[in-house]
Each structure stands twice: as C-alpha cells, then as structure tokens.
Amino acid sequence: MMEHKGTPVVTDMQVIPVAGYDSMLMTLSGAHAPWFTRNLVILRDSSGHTGIGEIHGGDYTCEALNSCIPLVVGQPVGRYRNILDTIHKSSTRAAEDDGEGIQTLDISKLKFVVKAEWAVECALLDLLGQYLDLPMCELLGDGKQRDQVETLGYLFYVSDKEKAAPALPYIDETGSSDAWFRLRRQEMLTPERIVEQAQVLNEKYGFRNFKLKGGVLRGEEEMEAMRALKKVFPEGRINIDPNGAWSLEEAIRICQPMEGVLTYVEDPCGPEAGYSSREVMAEFKNAVNLPVATNMIATDWRQFYHAAALKSVDIVLADPHFWGFGGSVRMAQILNDWGLTWGSHSNNHFDITLTAFAHVAAAAPGTPTALDTHWIWQDGQNLLKDTPKIVNGYLQVPDKPGMGVTIDMDKVMEANGRYNRLPSHERDDAMAMQYLIPGWKYDCKKPALVR
C-alpha cells in the first residue's frame, strides 16, 4: 500500500440543520420565537478524526454550506487556508444583498453578514488540531494566551409567553430544580426583574459583569435598569446595547449622565439624516465620554476601515461567524496594537459555538472585553458530551487537541428532527410580536415595545 504523506484528507462532509428552544427574549427587532435554528458542519478525515463547526441557521446558509462540499471533500486538512480561499473565490453575492449589512438591525440581512464557510473553517481547524495534537487556540494568531475567558451575563427583557399561547409553544421550565432555568422563561420587564436576573446569573455562573439588550423600552426606562444594576453590583462592569435604536440627540441626552455607571455603550445610535452609523457614532463619541462598542457598523474589513478612520468605536465585537476564526483573531491583534479593545458578539447558539468562541478568545492578545454569550439561555440543550463550563464568570478553554470536545450524535439528530418539524427555518422576530402588539412592524428607530 502506498504511504500517504502530509496531513489527513477530508473524506466526508455533512451539513445538519438543527433547532433548539428559546425564550420570548426582546430586542429592537421584536421577540424571539419559541425556537432558534443553527447549521452544523461535521467533517471526517482519512485518519478517523471528526471535526465540527456551528453557524447561524436558515435555508440560505444551509444551501451555501452544501454547495461547499465538492470544494472540501478530498482536500488535505493542512491546506485549510487554500480551501477557504477557493470557497471565497467561488461564491457570488446574493442579488438581494444591498451591502447595507446590519447597521439598522434588519434581521433579514444577517445571513449576508454571516459567512457560511466559517463553520467549515472551524471544523477544519478542529481536524488540524487533532492531527498536530494541539488545542485549536494554538493554531490561531500567536497561539494560546489564556486558559479561561472572561464572559458577561447577557441580560434580556423577556415578555409573557402566555400571551402567545397556545399558538406559540414556548418551553416551560417552572418545574426545574435550577433557579436560573425557572427564571429564564418568565416575564421580566422591570428594573427589579432585570436585577433579579443578574443576581441569579451571578449565583449560577459567577458573572460579575453584565450587558442588557436594550432597544425594547424607552431609553430612560432602560437606563433606570442600568442604575439599579450598578447599585447592586458596584464593582461590576455594566453595559447596554440598544442596537442603534436611539437618535443621536436622544443617545447623547440619556448617556451623558451615565458616565461612571456604564462601562461602555454598544451601538447607541444608527444611520440618520443621510449619515451612516459610522459618522453618527463618531459624533456621539465627541459628545459623550463613554467607550463605544459595535457589532453592527464594522462587520467586515472595509467597514472597519471607515469606522477606524472616523474613530467611531473603541471596542469591536468581532464575532467569528462574521469575521472568520483567523479573521477575528487578526482583528484582535490589530486592535491590541492600536490600543483599542477586542470582544465578540453572540447569537442564540449551541455549545459547539460556545467552545469555538472559547478558543478564539483564548488566542486574542491583550485584554479582551468580557465576551457575550447567549449560551446561558440555551444551557441544558447540549449537543456535546463535554460542554465547557462557565465558572466564576470565566469560560473554561478545553485543552485537548482540536476543539477538545465530543459531539453527541443522538442529541444532534434529535435537534435535527426538531428543525424538520418547524413551520419556518428563518428567524422572524416580528411574528411573535403580533401576540403582544397586533399589527406590529419593525422600525429601527422605535424600541420594540414603544408603539
């Protein structure tokens, strides 16, 4: 038999769409449905290893991943950069992609900001790490910088799921023995309930830093919740993300008094009066002495050039599903060299993404800001046999080769069956809002419950 030289070859690529349960979480774009969807990539190679990746859900992304199969199977794992480059050069821009990105949080455009091939990159890095007997983070940037990654408690306003019953079957965890599991499915729309949410998360995961997803109530009301949080967690870093819901005038007016309360404000305002978000946020920064973060106005390198040139932001939340794994760490290196700050945005996700984000953040140099993660809202819906833990507010980075985790195919196929039973695979936050406010329509300048 001829001896094989070089790295193993990819022998099989599976794309498996999956779905999980969600709460009636509120954002500027509306209310989360009872379910969320994701796409998994599972690669197998000639040495018998399995590599995994996870990315956003929906048929568009699923089809894009399936179209990558001929470009991946048969290729040596060590040529992963070339594989990704071939995918990039083979892809074409969708006719409905107007290039606006998500600076107005139009959820229908999220699929154009997310690049399906980053799930392939993750699975290839997982295989390469297993071949080299190194954790995935050692293959990124300058290698592993830390053994654990600081994360924040991602707080959400939650509406009353009973208003959508029985049409929308939100999961009920009132019988759970876990205080957080019970709480996360309940209505929480007041400063007191947001503080309670933070306290329970602090007890379960040890979070000391928190971010509230704003853009739901009037800006002044949301700032009341921020003040209440700071009172209970005086040493904590307290942040808010209204997804650009506020006008420039409103953002300045309500944020100036919050200096000393907020650690940063994320995407406080969006495009207006003919000016892009990058220009408007530069004016905000001139008026308010608070660091500004974004995951909306710098989602690719061209956008980042303009954001940096205008000094619009201090913190770039470079989600690896927007930037790629290598790209996200490259952003972390640039930001660190420039005296700016790296972090990562998150979407509803399973524990495969949780693990992947741990590795990316482990390779980020300097002092990243505490990472977002939606995982706390999905905790318990494991697709892995060995899900990384969040302890004392820190996500533990697996130290085994590759991703360092083991996929549970029984759970994956169960989640795939759930996906196949859904009436729709696309995210639609306006759908659940009809049960709260009949005739509700998305408006990027109006908080979700202000109509």
Side-chain angles (χ1 to χ4, degrees):
M1 191 171 83
M2 186 181 292
E3 181 186 356
H4 172 73
K5 293 184 178 180
T7 55
V9 171
V10 178
T11 56
D12 182 59
M13 174 173 165
Q14 275 182 288
V15 179
I16 305 179
V18 290
Y21 298 112
D22 205 357
S23 298
M24 204 175 196
L25 304 183
M26 302 298 299
T27 75
L28 177 66
S29 63
H32 286 201
W35 56 81
F36 69 102
T37 64
R38 304 289 279 177
N39 283 292
L40 306 184
V41 168
I42 301 176
L43 301 182
R44 292 179 179 82
D45 68 20
S46 54
S47 65
H49 291 140
T50 299
I52 55 177
E54 174 194 341
I55 203 157
H56 294 58
D59 296 334
Y60 177 91
T61 303
C62 188
E63 288 165 13
L65 284 169
N66 276 307
S67 73
C68 295
I69 292 175
L71 304 176
V72 177
V73 174
Q75 295 296 320
V77 172
R79 296 186 72 231
Y80 78 95
R81 292 181 190 274
N82 185 266
I83 296 170
L84 294 167
D85 187 51
T86 302
I87 293 172
H88 294 319
K89 288 174 178 173
S90 302
S91 61
T92 55
R93 187 159 157 174
E96 62 270 36
D97 180 2
D98 60 8
E100 284 291 316
I102 54 168
Q103 59 175 331
T104 59
L105 198 71
D106 184 341
I107 293 299
S108 68
K109 294 179 181 177
L110 182 62
K111 62 191 177 191
F112 304 133
V113 174
V114 172
K115 299 291 188 293
E117 62 265 27
W118 301 139
V120 178
E121 180 190 22
C122 183
L124 286 167
L125 285 167
D126 189 4
L127 289 176
L128 186 60
Q130 291 176 67
Y131 170 72
L132 295 172
D133 197 29
L134 290 171
M136 192 168 100
C137 54
E138 294 285 13
L139 310 180
L140 295 167
D142 296 317
K144 189 176 187 178
Q145 308 289 310
R146 57 190 63 82
D147 295 323
Q148 56 180 10
V149 175
E150 190 169 19
T151 48
L152 55 75
Y154 207 163
L155 311 176
F156 279 81
Y157 289 109
V158 185
S159 279
D160 181 4
K161 66 183 186 297
E162 297 308 318
K163 291 180 179 177
L168 297 182
Y170 286 92
I171 191 170
D172 189 332
E173 293 186 297
T174 49
S176 175
S177 59
D178 186 298
W180 166 240
F181 289 7
R182 289 197 304 275
L183 184 68
R184 65 186 177 178
R185 310 303 178 195
Q186 298 175 19
E187 182 181 56
M188 291 180 274
L189 291 172
T190 64
E192 294 76 19
R193 294 307 307 267
I194 293 298
V195 168
E196 180 187 359
Q197 191 180 129
Q199 289 172 318
V200 173
L201 286 171
N202 170 260
E203 289 166 16
K204 182 171 176 65
Y205 302 101
F207 294 127
R208 291 175 291 280
N209 308 303
F210 299 94
K211 179 162 77 180
L212 175 66
K213 177 62 79 175
V216 178
L217 306 172
R218 288 172 52 253
E220 289 83 358
E221 291 180 69
E222 294 180 346
M223 289 308 184
E224 285 179 32
M226 296 290 92
R227 291 189 185 94
L229 278 169
K230 189 67 175 176
K231 193 171 181 181
V232 176
F233 295 95
E235 303 302 314
R237 283 171 279 164
I238 309 297
N239 314 308
I240 189 168
D241 172 20
N243 285 122
W246 306 327
S247 69
L248 176 60
E249 180 278 326
E250 181 184 13
I252 292 171
R253 173 168 46 81
I254 65 178
C255 288
Q256 276 180 336
M258 301 300 286
E259 295 172 17
V261 177
L262 294 175
T263 305
Y264 70 71
V265 58
E266 181 180 340
D267 291 303
C269 33
E272 62 179 73
Y275 295 95
S276 73
S277 301
R278 288 168 281 280
E279 294 165 307
V280 174
M281 278 168 57
E283 294 186 26
F284 173 85
K285 275 181 59 63
N286 288 339
V288 180
N289 188 29
L290 277 172
V292 173
T294 188
N295 78 294
M296 293 172 66
I297 71 166
T299 61
D300 61 33
W301 292 105
R302 184 178 176 187
Q303 290 180 8
F304 174 65
Y305 166 75
H306 292 287
L310 291 167
K311 298 185 177 178
S312 302
V313 295
D314 307 283
I315 303 165
V316 178
L317 304 176
D319 186 330
H321 293 151
F322 294 3
W323 292 87
F325 289 72
S328 185
V329 174
R330 179 153 54 106
M331 173 61 80
Q333 292 172 318
I334 291 170
L335 293 171
N336 186 52
D337 289 345
W338 290 1
L340 299 172
T341 303
W342 177 89
S344 181
H345 154 266
S346 114
N347 210 301
N348 297 81
H349 58 82
F350 285 105
D351 43 351
I352 297 170
T353 286
L354 182 74
T355 308
F357 281 21
H359 281 286
V360 172
T367 308
T369 190
L371 251 66
D372 294 8
T373 177
H374 277 63
W375 166 245
I376 55 176
W377 297 90
Q378 273 77 53
D379 191 354
Q381 302 182 57
N382 299 15
L383 299 184
L384 299 173
K385 294 180 179 179
D386 39 15
T387 303
K389 299 281 192 291
I390 298 173
V391 181
N392 295 324
Y394 284 83
L395 173 59
Q396 307 305 301
V397 182
D399 57 4
K400 294 176 185 173
M403 288 264 277
V405 289
T406 310
I407 194 163
D408 186 331
M409 286 306 297
D410 289 339
K411 293 287 183 63
V412 167
M413 297 320 295
E414 184 182 328
N416 173 248
R418 190 176 302 122
Y419 179 92
N420 291 330
R421 291 190 296 273
L422 291 180
S424 169
H425 300 145
E426 308 305 321
R427 181 171 166 182
D428 179 6
D429 290 9
M431 180 265 296
M433 284 301 298
Q434 305 310 311
Y435 298 90
L436 303 177
I437 303 174
W440 186 93
K441 288 193 174 85
Y442 173 69
D443 184 333
C444 68
K445 291 300 179 187
K446 286 184 181 176
L449 289 176
V450 179
R451 288 292 185 275

